[in-house]
Every structure is written in structure tokens, then in C-alpha cells.
């Protein structure tokens, strides 16, 4: 096992969780080369309480993870492929691929609205800007666009509607990488030290 670039963890049971490993190389110049080449050396690992096993390899930059506990679904984002893969979580904690949601933007954080199952996603619309922010986190002149999408999966489970509740050029909040929605309130987190609170005025059509 080589968890050299852990991006996210999602808990699925007592002492059981999945890990997204963004790339084969650890952070640094070699990882940058790997990402620029758009290599598919990312992986998804599973810890069963005792050991870590490889669940899926040769994934392209697996990033944000999330779980819908009511519907037993696991969501895995991809920074470079700009999509979210949806898996069914089986009783034995194995995953069965269901579908793939194209976003045309790089998912960095995922939140599942428990009641509706809506998928709220914080994204980097311009990924190279987010990369520059990681290089110069204290430079306020270097900023990255932020975006939040809401995905509502339809009853058939294979179609969905995507809306954009929030987007900004980075002036208000730069490099959005976390999102939480609860009762008409939207919280957006950035990569470095800022949190934005928004009131959602029309949640039914947002």
C-alpha cells in the first residue's frame, strides 16, 4: 500500500473507512509532474478495522469523498477528470459502480444533504489557479475562483439536475474546497483560513 498523497477520508462503519489517495507521488515536484502529465495513478483504499486494502487503482486524481447513509451511496470526486463517480455501498462494504457525473469543474469537497440526498460540491473552476494558491498561500494577490454546485439525482438514479448556487472570481473567497448546507444556510470553506456564510433565498430552485 502507498498512501503517499491522502486527500480525503469517509467513514462507513465502526472502525471502517475509505481513503482517497490523490496521486502516486507525495507532495512536491514529482507529484506536480505526475499531475501535469494527467497520469491515472490515484487509488481508493479501504480500512476494515485491521488492515488496509486496495479497492480501486488507476484512478485519475481521486479527491473529495462523501457518503449518503440513507441511500448507501459513496461519492468520489476527480480533480483532473472534473467528475464525481457514484458507487453503491454493499452490506460487505464493497463498492459497486453506479454512474459518473460530469461537472466541467474540479471537485474539492462534497457534502450530502441528509434529507433530500442532494450533493453539494465545492469546486475549483480554474484548477491551475488553485495550484498557485498552494504555492503562495500568504500572498493575497494570488487567488483562485470558487464555485459551488448542487446535484439533485432523479428518481431513476441515472439522471440528475445541476444548479450553481454560488460562484466567485476569488475576491470574496478564494479556492473553495469545503461546503456544508443546512436549512437554507450555506457554508463555504477555502483552502487557507476563510469561511463564507450565505443565506440560500430560494432553495427549491437554487
Amino acid at each position: 500500500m502507498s498512501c503517499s498523497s491522502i486527500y480525503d477520508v469517509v467513514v462507513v462503519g465502526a472502525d471502517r473507512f475509505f481513503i482517497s489517495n490523490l496521486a502516486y507521488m507525495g507532495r512536491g515536484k514529482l507529484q506536480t509532474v505526475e499531475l501535469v502529465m494527467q497520469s491515472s495513478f490515484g487509488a481508493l483504499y479501504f480500512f476494515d478495522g485491521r488492515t488496509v486494502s486496495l479497492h480501486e487503482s488507476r484512478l485519475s486524481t481521486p479527491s473529495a469523498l462523501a457518503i449518503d447513509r440513507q441511500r448507501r451511496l459513496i461519492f468520489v470526486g476527480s480533480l483532473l477528470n472534473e467528475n464525481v463517480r457514484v458507487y453503491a455501498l454493499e452490506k460487505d462494504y464493497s463498492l459497486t459502480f453506479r454512474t459518473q457525473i460530469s461537472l466541467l469543474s474540479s471537485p474539492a469537497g462534497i457534502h450530502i444533504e441528509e434529507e433530500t440526498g442532494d450533493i453539494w460540491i465545492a469546486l475549483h473552476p480554474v484548477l491551475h489557479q488553485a495550484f498557485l494558491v498552494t504555492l503562495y498561500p500568504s500572498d493575497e494577490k494570488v487567488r483562485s475562483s470558487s464555485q459551488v454546485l448542487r446535484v439533485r439525482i432523479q428518481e431513476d438514479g441515472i439522471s440528475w439536475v445541476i444548479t450553481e448556487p454560488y460562484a466567485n472570481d476569488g475576491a470574496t473567497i478564494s479556492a473553495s474546497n469545503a461546503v456544508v448546507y443546512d436549512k437554507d444556510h450555506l457554508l463555504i470553506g477555502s483552502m487557507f483560513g476563510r469561511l463564507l456564510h450565505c443565506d440560500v433565498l430560494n432553495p427549491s430552485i437554487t
Side-chain angles (χ1 to χ4, degrees):
M1 186 197 79
S2 177
C3 289
S4 55
S5 184
I6 294 175
Y7 189 99
D8 204 356
V9 174
V10 63
V11 177
V12 296
D15 298 326
R16 291 175 171 83
F17 53 84
F18 285 94
I19 305 166
S20 59
N21 197 62
L22 183 71
Y24 181 79
M25 305 304 299
R27 298 183 186 277
K29 293 181 180 179
L30 290 178
Q31 186 187 92
T32 301
V33 172
E34 181 182 342
L35 297 180
V36 169
M37 293 177 63
Q38 300 188 14
S39 302
S40 297
F41 293 145
L44 189 64
Y45 292 96
F46 177 65
F47 178 69
D48 64 4
R50 292 185 177 181
T51 60
V52 176
S53 59
L54 176 64
H55 177 271
E56 190 169 355
S57 61
R58 301 195 65 80
L59 293 174
S60 175
T61 55
S63 54
L65 300 177
I67 181 173
D68 184 335
R69 299 188 186 280
Q70 289 190 20
R71 299 157 191 85
R72 295 190 64 81
L73 297 173
I74 295 290
F75 302 90
V76 182
S78 171
L79 286 179
L80 290 181
N81 282 357
E82 299 183 336
N83 61 39
V84 170
R85 293 170 64 86
V86 184
Y87 298 84
L89 177 63
E90 308 297 348
K91 292 182 179 180
D92 62 355
Y93 296 103
S94 63
L95 298 181
T96 302
F97 177 75
R98 281 279 188 86
T99 189
Q100 184 169 283
I101 302 170
S102 178
L103 302 171
L104 302 179
S105 190
S106 299
I110 302 175
H111 168 75
I112 306 302
E113 189 178 348
E114 184 175 348
E115 182 178 348
T116 64
D118 288 354
I119 311 162
W120 293 78
I121 310 172
L123 307 103
H124 302 309
V126 187
L127 189 57
H128 76 268
Q129 291 180 348
F131 175 70
L132 291 176
V133 169
T134 64
L135 296 179
Y136 309 101
S138 60
D139 189 342
E140 295 185 357
K141 295 180 181 179
V142 179
R143 62 193 188 194
S144 174
S145 304
S146 293
Q147 183 184 33
V148 172
L149 297 179
R150 184 184 72 175
V151 181
R152 175 164 290 178
I153 297 180
Q154 304 302 291
E155 292 184 2
D156 59 12
I158 57 173
S159 61
W160 48 84
V161 176
I162 299 178
T163 54
E164 184 185 66
Y166 183 85
N168 185 269
D169 65 358
T172 304
I173 185 167
S174 177
S176 55
N177 75 331
V179 61
V180 175
Y181 174 81
D182 183 55
K183 298 177 181 178
D184 302 346
H185 294 278
L186 184 65
L187 291 177
I188 306 170
S190 68
M191 294 178 71
F192 297 100
R194 179 167 292 188
L195 184 69
L196 180 66
H197 172 233
C198 303
D199 292 321
V200 180
L201 301 180
N202 296 294
S204 61
I205 61 174
T206 296

